[in-house]
Amino acid sequence: MGPGIGKAIAGAALEAEAGIYRTNLTYLLGEIKNRDVGPALAKLLADPEPDVRSAAAFSLGKIGDLEIETLRVTAQTDADTRVRVRAIVALGKGRQKQVVDWLIEFLGHADPEVRQAANYTLNQATRQDLGFNAYYPESRRNRAVDKWKKWWGENKDGFEFPSRPEGGGRRGRHFETEVWVDEVPPQVGVAVPMPPPAPAAAAGRGLRVVEEEAPAAPVVPVDPAQEVPEDR
């Protein structure tokens, strides 16, 4: 795409009156991965529509290490669980040491979905699994948090973020234990890539979080009246 296209789309996303247009354009900002749109995405994190805020968090995660402080505040304070979860996952894409500190703090969050998202993101960012589960009793969770704090205190200074394996690694497949299916809203334009739905809790079994990658645009069905009959 030519220069300036990111800012043009960001401006349109901020000015669109309909929430569905703001949402679609915000997802598109993540697909073009233009780093100049970080400030616009930060503003969209404060949009009155949770779908727009969720899209902004998703797109910031696609781009990388932008607006991490704004994402942290969103993860702490947003009223919508889906937005908080997306913000936490986006934080992990930034690959910064201060983010690991924040993620460990989120293991103590009151919302179990936020806790499990933080644990998943820590696992992905550090390739460590220290036995935390958001649905364990509080005393058991606290012991696992203490393990994280101890491990990070011993390794933070010399820590280097591991490279992500091509096509996802064994740990990524470990978390992808359920397929999340969502219907495409009929009013969403087919040319705009649709993101996956937000992770959800599975009572008693823990949260299954799937690495967020936008799937291909939905296929427009063919009108049977326009189909060409096969030769017999």
Side-chain angles (χ1 to χ4, degrees):
M1 295 186 180
I5 187 66
K7 289 185 176 180
I9 295 173
L14 289 167
E15 295 173 4
E17 293 186 5
I20 188 63
Y21 294 142
R22 296 199 304 277
T23 300
N24 282 354
L25 290 167
T26 302
Y27 279 124
L28 186 57
L29 290 173
E31 294 302 312
I32 65 174
K33 298 182 180 180
N34 186 319
R35 296 181 63 82
D36 293 338
V37 303
L41 287 171
K43 291 180 180 178
L44 289 163
L45 280 174
D47 192 275
E49 295 283 345
D51 284 348
V52 178
R53 301 197 303 274
S54 178
F58 176 85
S59 290
L60 282 168
K62 294 278 285 187
I63 297 172
D65 58 343
L66 296 179
E67 304 294 336
I68 61 170
E69 178 60 32
T70 307
L71 283 169
R72 182 180 72 87
V73 173
T74 298
Q76 288 177 325
T77 63
D78 198 278
D80 191 280
T81 294
R82 178 181 52 162
V83 177
R84 294 198 299 268
V85 167
R86 281 243 173 114
I88 286 173
V89 174
L91 279 171
K93 304 295 180 65
R95 299 170 66 83
Q96 296 190 29
K97 290 184 178 181
Q98 62 180 324
V99 168
V100 176
D101 290 310
W102 298 342
L103 292 173
I104 292 173
E105 291 179 7
F106 279 121
L107 294 178
H109 198 278
D111 187 333
E113 292 191 38
V114 170
R115 295 196 299 265
Q116 196 74 344
N119 182 56
Y120 165 77
T121 306
L122 278 169
N123 294 155
Q124 293 293 291
T126 66
R127 298 294 188 266
Q128 300 295 315
D129 186 349
L130 301 183
F132 182 89
N133 187 297
Y135 298 92
Y136 283 160
E138 184 177 3
S139 59
R140 188 170 178 182
R141 294 200 312 268
N142 289 341
R143 289 196 296 271
V145 171
D146 288 341
K147 289 180 181 178
W148 270 110
K149 291 178 178 178
K150 182 176 185 296
W151 175 83
W152 187 233
E154 293 171 349
N155 293 277
K156 181 176 181 177
D157 290 343
F159 181 78
E160 295 184 5
F161 288 93
S163 59
R164 184 176 177 182
E166 290 292 332
R170 295 177 62 186
R171 185 171 299 279
R173 289 196 296 272
H174 170 74
F175 282 91
E176 193 169 349
T177 55
E178 292 186 0
V179 177
W180 299 93
V181 180
D182 196 16
E183 293 183 0
V184 177
Q187 69 270 36
V188 176
V190 297
V192 178
M194 292 298 299
R205 293 181 293 120
L207 179 68
R208 269 67 170 174
V209 183
V210 178
E211 182 70 14
E212 297 194 312
E213 295 292 342
V219 177
V220 179
V222 177
D223 185 349
Q226 298 179 3
E227 292 184 352
V228 179
E230 296 180 0
D231 293 334
R232 302 200 177 203

